[in-house]
Amino acid sequence: MSLLQILLSLVLGVLGAVLVIGGTMVRYRFALADIRLAVSILVLIFSLLGVGVACIFGTQVVQLLTTGVSTRGTIVDVVSCGSKGNVSPRVQFTDAKGGLHTQSITGFCSPHQDYRVGEPLSIIYVPGDPTIIAEQGSASSSAMLVLGALTGLMIVVGWFLFASIKLMARPQRAASR
């Protein structure tokens, strides 16, 4: 992953966070403090769940980038995934120890015409866990997505955590007036 890809991921993550925060602030700017607090807490909960998912997916991407081994496999099946007729190929490959594995590509779904049964496919797999595989070159793109998502989610978490704390303190002052 190049420095330009890292910077692009960070910038896109910040822009995504600004859109979420800005959209929420515009929508609830004049709402009662209780409603703003409830919205802040809900956004915070869903953002933390998103951070957890990104970390789980990110762990696999980091394993592929740091310990991944390249090999060629053969597409043995095309499995439906997602919507719009997208598919994920099942690939049979031999690992460095000579073991034969058949595994679906982890990550994103692709249009059906991208894969045909019997065709070779360059993949990368984790030697310690050959169930984690990706198409050659896609791990870097996945890393960009995870980095951008984590950047944006962490900014959103920080913002709404601060907003929640601020809003929880405010009703006490308002009640004394």
Side-chain angles (χ1 to χ4, degrees):
M1 202 161 120
S2 71
L3 181 60
L4 182 61
Q5 289 175 316
I6 293 171
L7 290 174
L8 181 62
S9 298
L10 294 174
V11 167
L12 290 175
V14 169
L15 288 175
V18 167
L19 285 173
V20 169
I21 292 167
T24 306
M25 287 180 62
V26 167
R27 175 77 171 102
Y28 295 101
R29 179 177 47 193
F30 299 114
L32 296 173
D34 289 342
I35 292 172
R36 288 193 317 241
L37 179 61
V39 169
S40 292
I41 290 172
L42 282 174
V43 171
L44 187 59
I45 289 169
F46 283 107
S47 296
L48 287 170
L49 288 172
V51 167
V53 168
C55 287
I56 290 168
F57 185 66
T59 302
Q60 291 182 351
V61 172
V62 168
Q63 286 178 318
L64 284 167
L65 288 173
T66 57
T67 65
V69 175
S70 296
T71 190
R72 287 188 66 81
T74 303
I75 299 173
V76 294
D77 194 12
V78 180
V79 181
S80 295
C81 63
S83 61
K84 303 176 188 171
N86 288 337
V87 296
S88 175
R90 272 183 80 70
V91 180
Q92 189 172 56
F93 65 98
T94 304
D95 65 17
K97 295 178 182 175
L100 187 64
H101 303 278
T102 303
Q103 188 64 37
S104 292
I105 298 277
T106 53
F108 303 106
C109 301
S110 299
H112 190 275
Q113 63 270 18
D114 288 353
Y115 304 107
R116 287 183 178 63
V117 174
E119 287 187 348
L121 185 66
S122 295
I123 62 166
I124 185 169
Y125 71 95
V126 176
D129 186 359
T131 62
I132 302 173
I133 69 170
E135 192 170 352
Q136 187 73 37
S138 69
S140 181
S141 300
S142 297
M144 284 180 62
L145 177 70
V146 169
L147 181 59
L150 278 173
T151 301
L153 287 168
M154 293 307 291
I155 292 169
V156 169
V157 164
W159 179 273
F160 284 99
L161 183 62
F162 175 75
S164 298
I165 291 169
K166 186 177 171 186
L167 285 167
M168 283 190 278
R170 188 174 277 164
Q172 295 171 350
R173 283 186 263 150
S176 63
R177 289 184 190 175

